[in-house]
C-alpha cells in the first residue's frame, strides 16, 4: 500500500513547470515533483549532518577529499581487475 497523499497547490516559473511536465513521462508531473522534493530533502538532511560534523570535528580539507577520491578510484580499479580475473 502506498503512503497517503495530499493535494497541494504550488507556484513555479512556467518554463520549469513545462520542462518538468515534458520529462515526467507516464508517472506524471506530481510523481516527478514529489521525487524532486524528496531528493532536495535528502540533500538538506545531508547538509545538516555535515554542518554538525564540521562543528564538532572541523571542516574537511580539500586534501582529505582528494585522498578519499583517490582511495575510491583505487578500490574501483581493484574491483574491476578482480572481476576480470574471476571470469
Amino acid at each position: 500500500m502506498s503512503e497517503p497523499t495530499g493535494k497541494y497547490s504550488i507556484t513555479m516559473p512556467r518554463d520549469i513547470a513545462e520542462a518538468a511536465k515534458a520529462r515526467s513521462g507516464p508517472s506524471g508531473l506530481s510523481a516527478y515533483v514529489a521525487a524532486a522534493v524528496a531528493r532536495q530533502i535528502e540533500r538538506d538532511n545531508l547538509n545538516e549532518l555535515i554542518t554538525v560534523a564540521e562543528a564538532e570535528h572541523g571542516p574537511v580539507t580539500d586534501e582529505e577529499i582528494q585522498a578519499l577520491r583517490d582511495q575510491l578510484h583505487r578500490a574501483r580499479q581493484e574491483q574491476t581487475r578482480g572481476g576480470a580475473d574471476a571470469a
Side-chain angles (χ1 to χ4, degrees), residues 59-87:
V60 179
T61 66
D62 290 340
E63 292 79 16
E64 290 170 317
I65 292 170
Q66 188 58 50
L68 289 170
R69 284 183 176 148
D70 293 344
Q71 182 180 356
L72 179 60
H73 180 71
R74 285 190 304 274
R76 286 180 176 157
Q77 286 180 324
E78 289 173 16
Q79 188 177 37
T80 301
R81 280 194 302 264
D85 292 343

Side-chain angles (χ1 to χ4, degrees), residues 22-46:
R23 293 174 182 263
S24 64
S27 62
L29 182 59
S30 291
Y32 189 86
V33 171
V37 171
R39 279 191 306 277
Q40 184 62 47
I41 290 169
E42 288 174 355
R43 286 178 159 199
D44 293 345
N45 289 339
L46 286 172

Side-chain angles (χ1 to χ4, degrees), residues 11-24 29 32-33:
T11 303
M12 70 175 77
R14 187 173 309 229
D15 60 334
I16 293 173
E18 292 302 320
K21 209 172 181 182
R23 293 174 182 263
S24 64
L29 182 59
Y32 189 86
V33 171

